[in-house]
Amino acid sequence: MRADRATLIYDGACGFCREAVALVARWDRQHSVTLVPFQDEAKLAQFRLPLPALAAAMHLVLPDGRVFAGADAAAALLKLLPGKRWLAWVFAVPGVLPLARRLYASIARRRHCLVRGAAVD
């Protein structure tokens, strides 16, 4: 993986997560984000993030080493995507981020019911 790119870690066995990551890939015209399913242990070894945390929420690891999870990752990710940076301001509105965290947690708990997943090789 390239040190100058952010890395988005997601659940590759989750259909909902794969659909969301496919959207991110379409939006990432500058290829500034590397997409890695948390099931790829070899690629994730360098980050030393606990597997239970990775299984619970997406994580965004920035080139400077900062790590964001869940709704916080979504807010940070939007800032990296050309043409979508304007959406990040929504998370700066007072009260939105705490609400987004609760909503993200609710969706994350039910994600396997939302869209059929398939195992990743």
Side-chain angles (χ1 to χ4, degrees), residues 25-102:
R26 285 193 303 273
W27 287 352
D28 186 17
R29 295 185 310 268
Q30 294 177 339
H31 307 288
S32 57
V33 181
T34 300
L35 307 170
V36 180
F38 81 78
Q39 290 85 354
D40 190 336
E41 295 176 27
K43 288 183 180 176
L44 295 181
Q46 66 179 325
F47 299 114
R48 297 187 177 147
L49 297 169
L51 187 57
L54 295 175
M58 73 172 169
H59 284 66
L60 181 67
V61 182
L62 298 181
D64 65 8
R66 289 181 292 156
V67 178
F68 299 90
D72 296 275
L77 179 62
L78 287 169
K79 294 176 184 176
L80 301 176
L81 300 173
K84 304 303 176 202
R85 293 181 180 115
W86 65 272
L87 291 170
W89 75 268
V90 172
F91 289 92
V93 173
V96 170
L97 190 55
L99 179 63
R101 288 174 180 148
R102 287 194 299 274

Side-chain angles (χ1 to χ4, degrees), residues 12-16 18 111-119:
C14 166
F16 182 81
R18 287 194 316 270
R111 69 184 185 263
H112 293 286
C113 300
L114 297 172
V115 177
R116 283 287 208 213

